[in-house]
Amino acid sequence: WKRDATPPHVCVQLPMFNETFVARRVIDHACRMEYPRDRLYVQVLDDSTDKSTRDVVDAAIDHWRANGVHIEAIRRTNRQGYKAGAMHEVHGRIRSEFIAIFDADFLPQKDFLLRTIPVFQDRNVGFVQGRWTYLNADESLFCRYQEICLNAHIKCEQYARFSTGNFLNFNGTGGVWRKACIDSAGGWNARTLVEDMDLSLRAFLKGWQFVWRYDVVCPNEIPNSYKAYRTQQRRWSCGPMQLWAAARQSVTDSSLPAFHKAYLNIFFFGVRMLATNVISFTFYSVLVPMILLVYATEDLEQATHHRFMPW
């Protein structure tokens, strides 16, 4: 931000659900970010039903309140709309100009806000997206494989879209939104599994611009179990198709240049989100179980070898 200007107010949202083992970590990192304390507000959107998680969250909040951080937990009696529903319900009570969002498995870096907030001096910028990095990429071949696939999107696709001025979607976490942009686009909506892409598209149709920053890293953890990975991939495969069905007419009727309309309808949704995901999902359904089977076989062979090895 300009040296002679007063830094704007920032709200940091931490949506979570039964994230017992990482809840304290993300809260600690968010509260350690370098930013004027009188202009920082941390919101823990805790939909947890697990008492252990709630206790961890409450202990972290008590600690940081004692250290001068404006932080609170907001809990709902129902989980309607899940993450999008939680953010939509609290949006009206936020008075900050900007909203940073981090999922529970992310580690906000100390200089994150100092690197992203100044970008908003351009009044046309609706959100700034940071670059994901992965803490457990070397944990297994399964995690390494996911890192390669994710970087194809994070490092290649997102960079190319930003550089060419095409539609750039928010990745759901590791970024900052201008509150006025969210308001003008109609707010968070749970009509699809990809509330982040949904809001991004509606904001894009309103004329907002988005910025992707390679130098702003956002460490997080890759799913290390096939069950969690499968759930993630289902959301990322089905969600865009739900959005395309819901927003296709809006894109066609918008005042966007013909090039952008063609890009969205043909390439972004048609080729990238439909064709690529169908092929990838089919490929992953075969490859990933094979990887797990190979590892299980190797572990069994090693265990048998050690069992019968003479001293």
Side-chain angles (χ1 to χ4, degrees):
W1 209 252
K2 294 180 179 179
R3 293 182 180 275
D4 58 344
T6 303
H9 289 274
V10 177
C11 172
V12 179
Q13 286 187 328
L14 309 176
M16 61 180 67
F17 174 69
N18 292 344
E19 308 282 357
T20 309
F21 301 106
V22 294
R24 180 62 188 258
R25 185 181 68 179
V26 68
I27 293 173
D28 289 346
H29 275 76
C31 293
R32 289 185 186 126
M33 285 195 290
E34 298 172 350
Y35 204 75
R37 282 288 177 258
D38 62 332
R39 297 186 169 269
L40 181 67
Y41 167 43
V42 180
Q43 257 186 2
V44 184
L45 306 182
D46 184 20
D47 275 359
S48 301
T49 55
D50 175 54
K51 185 178 182 302
S52 298
T53 304
R54 291 189 171 213
D55 290 343
V56 169
V57 170
D58 290 340
I61 288 176
D62 290 342
H63 170 78
W64 286 106
R65 276 180 179 167
N67 282 273
V69 177
H70 182 198
I71 180 173
E72 67 173 328
I74 298 177
R75 296 186 169 107
R76 303 188 296 167
T77 57
N78 64 78
R79 295 195 64 222
Q80 184 176 0
Y82 303 104
K83 178 181 175 181
M87 293 190 292
H88 177 72
E89 285 191 24
V90 302
H91 187 76
R93 69 179 83 171
I94 296 176
R95 296 294 175 261
S96 304
E97 299 170 61
F98 302 100
I99 303 172
I101 302 171
F102 299 97
D103 285 347
D105 56 344
F106 275 67
L107 278 69
Q109 300 297 283
K110 285 187 175 182
D111 62 349
F112 182 88
L113 295 177
L114 298 181
R115 285 178 172 271
T116 54
I117 296 300
V119 180
F120 289 101
Q121 291 180 96
D122 181 345
R123 296 292 180 179
N124 296 314
V125 173
F127 74 74
V128 177
Q129 175 67 59
R131 174 172 63 90
W132 293 5
T133 58
Y134 316 99
L135 299 168
N136 61 333
D138 296 327
E139 182 177 317
S140 65
L141 179 61
F142 181 39
C143 290
R144 176 59 178 157
Y145 147 79
Q146 291 181 72
E147 180 194 33
I148 294 172
C149 295
L150 286 168
N151 277 338
H153 167 65
I154 298 296
K155 288 186 175 181
C156 299
E157 288 182 337
Q158 292 291 68
Y159 177 74
R161 292 168 185 165
F162 170 61
S163 300
T164 56
N166 279 307
F167 172 62
L168 165 71
N169 65 284
F170 181 58
N171 287 129
T173 175
V176 186
W177 279 87
R178 186 189 299 272
K179 186 175 184 293
C181 174
I182 297 177
D183 293 336
S184 71
W188 295 101
N189 193 310
R191 63 178 177 171
T192 71
L193 294 172
V194 284
E195 71 283 338
D196 44 11
M197 187 181 295
D198 187 350
L199 180 59
S200 302
L201 180 59
R202 284 183 279 121
F204 184 72
L205 296 179
K206 290 287 185 179
W208 290 93
Q209 298 175 6
F210 312 135
V211 175
W212 182 82
R213 291 289 297 268
Y214 184 91
D215 61 318
V216 179
V217 296
C218 307
N220 70 100
E221 292 183 347
I222 296 172
N224 58 8
S225 71
Y226 180 62
K227 181 180 179 181
Y229 170 78
R230 183 178 60 186
T231 300
Q232 179 195 74
Q233 291 303 306
R234 178 185 178 278
R235 174 177 174 269
W236 288 356
S237 297
C238 297
M241 293 303 96
Q242 292 178 331
L243 178 57
W244 192 20
R248 191 173 182 179
Q249 194 60 46
S250 298
V251 172
T252 302
D253 295 341
S254 70
S255 59
L256 289 174
F259 170 77
H260 286 299
K261 290 182 181 181
Y263 169 79
L264 283 168
N265 279 310
I266 298 174
F267 182 78
F268 187 83
F269 284 109
V271 177
R272 172 61 180 92
M273 294 302 171
L274 177 59
T276 304
N277 281 334
V278 169
I279 295 171
S280 299
F281 184 76
T282 304
F283 182 61
Y284 299 160
S285 295
V286 175
L287 178 63
V288 175
M290 285 180 61
I291 292 175
L292 298 178
L293 181 62
V294 169
Y295 267 89
T297 304
E298 290 179 353
D299 290 342
L300 180 61
E301 290 177 350
Q302 291 177 4
T304 304
H305 176 71
H306 287 300
R307 181 180 179 182
F308 294 101
M309 180 180 289
W311 291 95

